[in-house]
Amino acid sequence: MTEQPGLFEQPDRPAPPPPHDPGSRPRRGERWIRTVVADLHVVDTRALRDAAHHRLSSATVVELGPAGPDEDDQLDPHDEIITSNAAAVRWWIEPTEGLWPQLAEALRIDAVALDATDEGPRHVRVEWAVTVRIADVHPVRQHAHNPGEPPGRSGGSFADDWNRAADPYAPLAGLPGVTWTPIAVEVARRGPR
Protein backbone atom coordinates (compact mmCIF):
# COMPACT_ATOMS: atom_id res chain seq x y z
CA MET A 1 0.00 0.00 0.00
CA THR A 2 1.39 3.44 -0.90
CA GLU A 3 1.69 6.07 1.74
CA GLN A 4 -0.56 9.06 1.26
CA PRO A 5 -0.30 12.29 3.26
CA GLY A 6 -2.79 12.39 6.11
CA LEU A 7 -5.63 14.83 6.26
CA PHE A 8 -3.55 17.57 7.90
CA GLU A 9 -0.10 16.57 6.67
CA GLN A 10 1.49 18.58 3.90
CA PRO A 11 3.87 17.05 1.38
CA ASP A 12 7.48 18.23 1.57
CA ARG A 13 8.04 21.36 -0.47
CA PRO A 14 11.30 22.35 -2.07
CA ALA A 15 13.24 25.04 -0.26
CA PRO A 16 12.52 28.54 -1.57
CA PRO A 17 15.28 30.20 -3.56
CA PRO A 18 17.45 32.63 -1.62
CA PRO A 19 16.17 36.20 -1.72
CA HIS A 20 17.66 38.34 -4.47
CA ASP A 21 20.24 40.76 -3.17
CA PRO A 22 19.91 43.97 -5.20
CA GLY A 23 23.47 44.86 -4.14
CA SER A 24 24.81 41.76 -5.92
CA ARG A 25 24.36 43.27 -9.39
CA PRO A 26 27.69 44.42 -10.79
CA ARG A 27 28.04 48.14 -11.32
CA ARG A 28 30.39 50.33 -13.31
CA GLY A 29 33.51 51.11 -11.31
CA GLU A 30 33.29 48.07 -9.01
CA ARG A 31 36.39 45.96 -8.51
CA TRP A 32 36.23 42.16 -8.85
CA ILE A 33 38.94 39.54 -8.48
CA ARG A 34 39.14 36.11 -10.12
CA THR A 35 41.54 33.63 -8.56
CA VAL A 36 42.40 30.43 -10.44
CA VAL A 37 44.33 27.39 -9.17
CA ALA A 38 45.58 24.40 -11.19
CA ASP A 39 47.90 21.46 -10.68
CA LEU A 40 50.35 20.78 -13.50
CA HIS A 41 52.06 17.48 -14.22
CA VAL A 42 55.26 18.04 -16.19
CA VAL A 43 55.62 15.34 -18.83
CA ASP A 44 58.42 17.04 -20.81
CA THR A 45 60.67 19.32 -18.77
CA ARG A 46 62.74 20.38 -21.77
CA ALA A 47 59.68 21.43 -23.81
CA LEU A 48 58.34 23.47 -20.88
CA ARG A 49 61.63 25.23 -20.17
CA ASP A 50 62.41 25.86 -23.86
CA ALA A 51 58.97 27.45 -24.29
CA ALA A 52 59.55 29.66 -21.25
CA HIS A 53 62.96 30.76 -22.59
CA HIS A 54 61.40 31.52 -25.98
CA ARG A 55 58.53 33.53 -24.48
CA LEU A 56 60.90 35.45 -22.23
CA SER A 57 63.23 36.23 -25.15
CA SER A 58 60.39 37.54 -27.30
CA ALA A 59 58.67 39.52 -24.51
CA THR A 60 58.78 43.25 -24.06
CA VAL A 61 60.47 44.04 -20.75
CA VAL A 62 59.39 47.14 -18.85
CA GLU A 63 61.93 48.68 -16.47
CA LEU A 64 60.17 50.18 -13.45
CA GLY A 65 63.15 52.02 -12.04
CA PRO A 66 66.59 51.37 -10.62
CA ALA A 67 67.14 48.00 -8.99
CA GLY A 68 66.86 47.95 -5.23
CA PRO A 69 69.33 46.19 -2.93
CA ASP A 70 67.24 42.98 -2.84
CA GLU A 71 66.90 42.86 -6.61
CA ASP A 72 70.67 42.70 -7.14
CA ASP A 73 70.70 39.21 -5.56
CA GLN A 74 68.00 37.79 -7.86
CA LEU A 75 68.78 35.33 -10.63
CA ASP A 76 68.59 36.35 -14.24
CA PRO A 77 65.17 35.09 -15.50
CA HIS A 78 66.82 32.72 -18.01
CA ASP A 79 68.95 31.22 -15.23
CA GLU A 80 65.87 30.96 -13.01
CA ILE A 81 63.99 28.98 -15.67
CA ILE A 82 66.83 26.42 -15.71
CA THR A 83 66.47 25.90 -11.94
CA SER A 84 62.83 24.77 -11.70
CA ASN A 85 59.65 23.87 -13.52
CA ALA A 86 57.73 26.37 -11.39
CA ALA A 87 59.99 29.19 -12.57
CA ALA A 88 59.40 28.14 -16.19
CA VAL A 89 55.63 28.19 -15.59
CA ARG A 90 55.83 31.65 -13.96
CA TRP A 91 57.73 33.06 -16.94
CA TRP A 92 55.44 31.39 -19.51
CA ILE A 93 51.94 32.11 -18.14
CA GLU A 94 50.17 35.39 -18.86
CA PRO A 95 47.25 35.58 -16.35
CA THR A 96 45.21 37.99 -18.51
CA GLU A 97 45.23 35.60 -21.51
CA GLY A 98 41.68 35.09 -22.77
CA LEU A 99 40.39 38.48 -21.61
CA TRP A 100 41.50 40.32 -24.74
CA PRO A 101 40.29 41.52 -27.15
CA GLN A 102 36.67 40.57 -26.46
CA LEU A 103 36.47 42.14 -22.98
CA ALA A 104 38.84 45.09 -23.49
CA GLU A 105 35.98 47.59 -23.46
CA ALA A 106 34.29 45.95 -20.47
CA LEU A 107 37.06 45.42 -17.90
CA ARG A 108 40.07 47.45 -16.80
CA ILE A 109 42.88 45.56 -15.09
CA ASP A 110 43.83 46.87 -11.65
CA ALA A 111 46.23 44.13 -10.53
CA VAL A 112 47.67 40.78 -11.55
CA ALA A 113 49.29 38.21 -9.26
CA LEU A 114 50.94 34.93 -10.21
CA ASP A 115 52.62 32.23 -8.18
CA ALA A 116 53.87 28.77 -9.04
CA THR A 117 55.55 26.32 -6.68
CA ASP A 118 57.27 23.02 -7.25
CA GLU A 119 55.29 20.46 -5.27
CA GLY A 120 57.47 17.58 -6.45
CA PRO A 121 59.89 16.73 -9.26
CA ARG A 122 57.13 16.80 -11.89
CA HIS A 123 54.28 18.52 -10.04
CA VAL A 124 53.69 22.30 -10.06
CA ARG A 125 50.85 24.12 -8.29
CA VAL A 126 50.05 27.38 -10.07
CA GLU A 127 47.74 30.14 -8.88
CA TRP A 128 46.95 33.48 -10.46
CA ALA A 129 44.57 36.30 -9.70
CA VAL A 130 43.34 39.13 -11.89
CA THR A 131 41.63 42.13 -10.31
CA VAL A 132 39.48 44.16 -12.68
CA ARG A 133 37.36 47.28 -12.53
CA ILE A 134 34.08 47.10 -14.45
CA ALA A 135 33.87 49.70 -17.21
CA ASP A 136 30.77 48.23 -18.86
CA VAL A 137 29.08 44.99 -17.79
CA HIS A 138 27.09 44.59 -21.03
CA PRO A 139 29.95 43.25 -23.21
CA VAL A 140 30.67 40.64 -20.51
CA ARG A 141 27.05 39.52 -20.62
CA GLN A 142 27.00 39.55 -24.42
CA HIS A 143 30.06 37.28 -24.63
CA ALA A 144 28.64 35.02 -21.91
CA HIS A 145 25.22 34.31 -23.40
CA ASN A 146 24.28 30.84 -24.54
CA PRO A 147 23.10 30.16 -28.10
CA GLY A 148 19.32 30.51 -28.32
CA GLU A 149 19.30 33.08 -25.53
CA PRO A 150 19.02 36.79 -26.32
CA PRO A 151 22.42 38.53 -26.15
CA GLY A 152 23.02 40.42 -22.93
CA ARG A 153 20.48 38.38 -20.97
CA SER A 154 22.55 35.59 -19.43
CA GLY A 155 20.63 35.71 -16.15
CA GLY A 156 23.64 34.55 -14.16
CA SER A 157 25.81 36.32 -11.68
CA PHE A 158 28.72 38.48 -12.79
CA ALA A 159 31.05 35.65 -11.69
CA ASP A 160 29.25 33.18 -13.97
CA ASP A 161 29.17 35.67 -16.84
CA TRP A 162 32.89 36.46 -16.51
CA ASN A 163 33.80 32.75 -16.43
CA ARG A 164 31.65 32.02 -19.51
CA ALA A 165 32.90 35.08 -21.42
CA ALA A 166 36.59 34.40 -20.73
CA ASP A 167 37.76 30.88 -19.87
CA PRO A 168 39.50 31.06 -16.47
CA TYR A 169 42.03 28.45 -17.59
CA ALA A 170 42.88 30.15 -20.91
CA PRO A 171 46.37 31.10 -19.62
CA LEU A 172 47.26 27.38 -19.64
CA ALA A 173 46.18 26.81 -23.24
CA GLY A 174 49.16 25.85 -25.33
CA LEU A 175 51.55 25.42 -22.40
CA PRO A 176 53.91 22.74 -23.76
CA GLY A 177 55.25 19.80 -21.83
CA VAL A 178 52.47 19.62 -19.23
CA THR A 179 49.07 18.21 -18.52
CA TRP A 180 46.95 20.05 -15.98
CA THR A 181 44.02 19.58 -13.66
CA PRO A 182 41.72 22.44 -12.67
CA ILE A 183 41.52 22.91 -8.89
CA ALA A 184 39.52 26.07 -8.16
CA VAL A 185 38.07 29.24 -9.65
CA GLU A 186 36.77 31.94 -7.32
CA VAL A 187 35.29 35.29 -8.34
CA ALA A 188 34.48 37.86 -5.67
CA ARG A 189 33.70 41.53 -5.35
CA ARG A 190 36.76 43.39 -4.14
CA GLY A 191 35.57 46.09 -1.78
CA PRO A 192 33.79 49.35 -2.55
CA ARG A 193 34.25 51.39 -5.67
Side-chain angles (χ1 to χ4, degrees), residues 24-184:
S24 68
R25 293 184 336 144
R27 290 187 168 75
R28 181 183 184 97
E30 283 183 339
R31 292 176 64 215
W32 289 73
I33 184 169
R34 178 165 73 179
T35 305
V36 182
V37 181
D39 278 340
L40 282 59
H41 176 72
V42 179
V43 294
D44 187 343
T45 300
R46 184 179 185 129
L48 171 63
R49 293 182 185 185
D50 286 349
H53 282 295
H54 177 69
R55 185 164 277 197
L56 181 59
S57 295
S58 62
T60 301
V61 178
V62 177
E63 290 287 333
L64 298 176
D70 292 339
E71 293 176 14
D72 291 336
D73 296 336
Q74 293 181 350
L75 286 175
D76 174 84
H78 286 285
D79 293 338
E80 185 183 3
I81 290 169
I82 294 169
T83 65
S84 80
N85 290 327
V89 169
R90 279 192 301 274
W91 284 104
W92 194 89
I93 286 182
E94 170 49 57
T96 62
E97 188 76 35
L99 293 177
W100 315 121
Q102 64 269 30
L103 299 181
E105 64 189 55
L107 305 174
R108 303 290 180 255
I109 295 176
D110 275 0
V112 176
L114 170 64
D115 189 33
T117 55
D118 286 307
E119 302 281 319
R122 294 196 172 267
H123 178 221
V124 175
R125 167 71 53 106
V126 62
E127 178 176 337
W128 63 90
V130 177
T131 303
V132 298
R133 188 172 304 268
I134 298 174
D136 185 357
V137 74
H138 299 295
V140 177
R141 289 194 173 134
Q142 287 173 339
H143 287 286
H145 86 279
N146 293 320
E149 167 182 280
R153 310 284 291 176
S154 67
S157 68
F158 177 72
D160 292 339
D161 289 345
W162 186 5
N163 288 334
R164 280 195 300 259
D167 178 8
Y169 290 100
L172 294 176
L175 178 60
V178 303
T179 60
W180 55 274
T181 304
I183 300 299

